[in-house]
Amino acid sequence: MSWKGLIHKYKKFLPVTDKTPIITLQEGNTPLLLSRYLSEKIGLDVYLKYDGANPTGSFKDRGMTMAISKAVEKGVKAVMCASTGNTSASAAAFSARCGLKCIVLIPEGNIALGKLAQAMIHNAQVIAIKGNFDVALNLVKTITDEYPIELVNSLNPFRIEGQKTAPFEICDFLSDAPIFHSIPVGNAGNITAYWKGYKEYKDKKLSTRLPKMLGFQAAKSAPIVDEKIIENPETIATAIRIGNPASWETATAARDESGGLIDKVTDDEILLAYKILAREEGVFVEPASAASVAGILKLNEAGYFKGQKGNIVCTLTGHGLKDPNLAVESIQKPIVIEPDLKTVIKEIGL
Ligand code: F0G
C-alpha cells in the first residue's frame, strides 16, 4: 500500500474526523536504522530513528501536518510560531501547501542557514527579533491570544498528537517498544509526545512495555537539568538553544514516570557524535540531533548500560543539510590543486 502520510496511517489514534481536511506532504514513515558502530560500542542494539528524512528535513512535519490540518478545519487564515528554525521551516511549507498565511519569529543570528532559506522560499513572513527563542515564544503567545492567528508551536496540542506517531512507527517496526529511548530536549515538546505515544500504544496492547526515556539538553542550555531558567542559553546546537522550555513539566513527568533521566551534553560531545554518525553510519544530522547519541555515549562511559540487554532507539531529529556552515567549519577544508593528472594522482597517494 502506498504511504499517504501519518494522519492517514494512524487516523484512529488522532483527533481527526472525516471532515478534517488533511494537509500532508506525506511525512512520517522515516527510517529506523540499526547502528553497527554504536551497537558494538555499547553492547545493546542501537537504532537510529532518522526523522531528518521527513519532507522538510525534521520531525516537526509530524506535528505540523496535524496542527495545520486542524487550523484549516477551524477556518483560520493565518498561523504563527516562534522558532529556532525547524518549526518555522515546517510551518511555512505546510502553510504554502494550503494557502495559509504564515508568520514566524526567529532569534536574529541564531538559526541555521538551511532553515532560514526554507521559511523564506515558502513565503512565510519572517521576522527576526533581537532576542532569543524564549523571548520570541512569549511574544507569539501574547499575539496569538489576542488576534485571530493560530499558534503552531508545540503548545498547540495537535502538534504533540502528530509527533506521538514516531513511537508508533518504532513499535510497529520493532514489534514492541525499545528498552531505552534517547532524545534531544529543547522546548521539550518531542519528549512529551514520545512518552504519550509509547503509553497509548501500550494501553491499546500494541506493545508490551514502556521504554526508559533518556533526554539530553546542551550543557549551557540545560534548564531542566540545572533546575532553573537559563536567561542566556548558548550552544552550537542552535535548534535546542532554549532556556525556558514550554513543556518543562511534561518532560520531567516523562523522565520520572519512565524511570529514565534528563542529562546534559557539551558542545564537544555533540560534535563528536555528529561526526561519528556521519563517518561511521552515513547519517548526516544537524548538531541538535546528535545530542541523543552524545547522551548515550556519555552514559555508556559512566557504566549506565552495564548488564543491560535489549535495545536503544535514538531520535535523530533533523537533517545535517539544515546547518551546512557547521559541517564545513568543523572539518578540514578540501585542498585546492592544479587540474593536472599527475598532481591529482600524487595528491590521492596512488
Ligand atoms: N532537534 C531539533 C533539530 C529541533 O529543531 C528541536 C526543536 C529539538 C531537537 C528539540 O525538540 O523542542 O520538542 O524538545 N526545535 C524547535 C524549533 C524549538 O523551533 O524548531 P523539542
Side-chain angles (χ1 to χ4, degrees), residues 57-60 81-89 115 133 153-154 159-160 163 183-192 238-240 242 245 286-289 316-319 322:
S58 87
F59 73 98
K60 304 289 180 176
C81 64
S83 183
T84 55
N86 280 324
T87 301
S88 53
K115 305 175 188 182
F133 170 84
N153 280 102
S154 56
R159 281 275 315 275
I160 303 294
Q163 285 172 213
I183 187 165
V185 176
N187 210 26
N190 214 25
I191 190 171
T192 301
T238 51
I240 52 172
I242 294 175
E286 62 170 292
S289 307
L316 303 179
T317 44
H319 201 289
K322 295 270 188 179

Side-chain angles (χ1 to χ4, degrees), residues 27-93:
E27 56 296 311
N29 197 22
T30 55
L32 187 68
L33 302 164
L34 181 64
S35 165
R36 181 195 47 80
Y37 178 90
L38 294 168
S39 302
E40 270 172 25
K41 191 155 184 83
I42 295 178
L44 289 133
D45 288 340
V46 179
Y47 288 90
L48 308 168
K49 180 63 172 163
Y50 189 32
D51 251 8
N54 273 300
T56 78
S58 87
F59 73 98
K60 304 289 180 176
D61 293 347
R62 295 183 178 277
M64 211 50 79
T65 183
M66 274 301 299
I68 298 291
S69 297
K70 295 303 279 187
V72 173
E73 182 177 11
K74 195 172 161 187
V76 304
K77 297 280 176 274
V79 299
M80 187 169 186
C81 64
S83 183
T84 55
N86 280 324
T87 301
S88 53
S90 186

Side-chain angles (χ1 to χ4, degrees), residues 221-239:
S221 305
I224 298 177
V225 185
D226 296 346
E227 296 181 348
K228 60 169 198 269
I229 292 171
I230 310 292
E231 294 294 342
N232 294 305
E234 277 307 335
T235 168
I236 49 154
T238 51

